[in-house]
């Protein structure tokens, strides 16, 4: 299992791979494939739970998914995404919520959607032994403030603010930084300025690693953002398997003899 320290070393040598997973079978596939980090993202809210945004995701909810993922993962580093308002309101609650992911659910680190309000908290968590992955640029928990999911860091002032926050979180002890939906040249500059690895999503090719939502990557999502890439077509595969199942039941070709057993010792009951 890579540790947060290994990732820092890997960053100079080969790109870090990270994918989300929310359940045990998906985590097992992602882990067997050799991904470095599994993020139990709060994207579970819109990807798997049918919510429009990540805002309704709760601590109990994410804990449930982190537990499922950790029980099925042998090698990847597991990062638990802290849900909206589960951190940053009250320090004690923030630490207990994050600590629960490590103590009870098997994560090795947490991710915080970051801003000026998470610098001290990141420092406190790092001091206590809770490794923090910071997240800057587009932070989807701010959807109601943004009014959507706009690109971030597109003017000089905003770009400088993101760089300053990135440096402040590194200084505070974050072990890595997700950069979401920012210009690729800004991501490249931040990557060059930091010693900790950057992991991009919609942030161009110059980050130290990349992350995608697994449902988008394998082609299970009905919709995915323009910066994502579909590497398979699981949705089509599933649909075709389900169509075949319906046809087989309707045509009575399933179940066949090999899918049933007859007990010769049973007397007729009816
Ligand atoms: O929740 C999530 O899946 C994320 C990634 C997209 C970075 O935060």
């Amino acid at each position: 299992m890579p540790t947060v320290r290994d990732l820092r070393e890997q960053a100079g040598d080969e790109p870090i791979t990270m994918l989300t997973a929310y359940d045990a079978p998906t985590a097992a596939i992602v882990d067997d494939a050799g991904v470095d980090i599994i993020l139990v993202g709060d994207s579970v809210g819109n990807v798997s739970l049918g919510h429009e945004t990540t805002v309704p995701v709760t601590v109990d909810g994410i804990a449930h998914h982190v537990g499922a993922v950790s029980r099925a993962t042998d090698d990847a580093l597991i990062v638990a995404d802290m849900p909206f308002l589960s951190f940053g309101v009250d320090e004690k609650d923030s630490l207990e919520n994050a600590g629960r992911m490590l103590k009870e659910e098997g994560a090795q680190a947490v991710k915080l959607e970051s801003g000026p309000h998470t610098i001290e908290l990141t420092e406190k968590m790092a001091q206590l032994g809770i490794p923090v992955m910071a997240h800057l640029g587009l932070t989807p928990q701010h959807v109601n403030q943004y009014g959507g999911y706009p690109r971030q860091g597109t003017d000089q002032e905003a770009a400088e603010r993101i760089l300053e926050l990135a440096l402040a979180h590194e200084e505070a002890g974050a072990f890595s930084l997700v950069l979401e939906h920012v210009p690729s040249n800004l991501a490249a500059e931040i990557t060059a300025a930091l010693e900790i690895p950057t992991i991009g999503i919609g942030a161009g090719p110059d980050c130290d690693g990349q992350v995608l939502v697994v449902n988008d990557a394998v082609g299970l999502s009905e919709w995915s953002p323009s910066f994502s890439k579909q590497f398979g077509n699981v949705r089509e595969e599933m649909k075709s398997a389900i169509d075949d199942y319906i046809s087989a039941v309707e045509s009575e070709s399933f179940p066949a003899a090999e899918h049933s057993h007859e007990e010769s010792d049973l007397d007729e009951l009816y």
Side-chain angles (χ1 to χ4, degrees):
M1 175 182 299
T3 64
V4 296
R5 292 174 74 99
D6 296 333
L7 291 172
R8 198 159 166 160
E9 277 163 31
Q10 182 179 335
D13 298 341
E14 65 178 292
I16 295 166
T17 53
M18 172 157 116
L19 273 177
T20 66
Y22 317 105
D23 57 54
T26 311
I29 294 169
V30 169
D31 189 44
D32 284 351
V35 149
D36 298 308
I37 308 175
I38 297 182
L39 171 67
V40 188
D42 65 349
S43 50
V44 68
N46 25 17
V47 170
S48 292
L49 303 180
H51 295 299
E52 295 231 327
T53 70
T54 59
V55 169
V57 176
T58 62
V59 176
D60 285 347
I62 206 88
H64 194 67
H65 293 280
V66 173
V69 166
S70 71
R71 287 189 286 276
T73 301
D74 295 323
D75 295 321
L77 182 91
I78 300 171
V79 179
D81 207 4
M82 296 312 296
F84 181 55
L85 300 189
S86 69
F87 62 96
V89 179
D90 173 80
E91 187 182 84
K92 186 168 174 290
D93 288 350
S94 309
L95 297 173
E96 281 175 1
N97 290 335
R100 175 176 168 191
M101 301 303 151
L102 276 68
K103 283 171 74 139
E104 295 174 23
E105 305 300 342
Q108 285 89 44
V110 298
K111 178 168 81 62
L112 304 182
E113 291 197 7
S114 310
H117 60 295
T118 54
I119 299 170
E120 275 182 31
L121 183 59
T122 299
E123 186 165 14
K124 185 80 186 174
M125 286 188 179
Q127 281 168 353
L128 288 172
I130 304 174
V132 175
M133 174 179 276
H135 180 164
L136 293 168
L138 178 71
T139 47
Q141 291 171 11
H142 285 80
V143 58
N144 290 302
Q145 192 140 16
Y146 297 141
Y149 297 102
R151 285 192 180 86
Q152 299 294 310
T154 50
D155 62 54
Q156 200 59 31
E157 201 186 322
E160 279 167 18
R161 206 165 45 242
I162 296 174
L163 172 61
E164 274 166 27
L165 283 171
L167 290 164
H169 280 80
E170 173 173 83
E171 174 76 24
F175 75 92
S176 61
L177 168 68
V178 167
L179 285 170
E180 179 162 355
H181 214 8
V182 297
S184 52
N185 47 336
L186 172 60
E189 284 201 49
I190 294 174
T191 302
L194 295 185
E195 286 187 24
I196 58 171
T198 58
I199 300 177
I201 173 160
D206 294 319
C207 293
D208 296 305
Q210 297 291 328
V211 55
L212 283 180
V213 165
V214 71
N215 296 45
D216 297 343
V218 302
L220 182 56
S221 308
E222 212 167 343
W223 174 90
S224 52
S226 57
F227 54 69
S228 195
K229 180 171 173 181
Q230 195 176 308
F231 292 86
N233 204 336
V234 170
R235 197 180 165 81
E236 269 311 306
E237 277 286 314
M238 278 181 80
K239 188 172 175 318
S240 139
I242 293 164
D243 284 346
D244 289 352
Y245 163 73
I246 292 171
S247 305
V249 172
E250 286 178 350
S251 66
E252 298 181 9
S253 62
F254 176 83
E258 69 267 29
H259 306 118
S260 334
H261 75 283
E262 217 173 83
E263 198 54 72
S264 50
D265 290 344
L266 278 182
D267 291 333
E268 266 185 30
L269 298 171
Y270 181 69

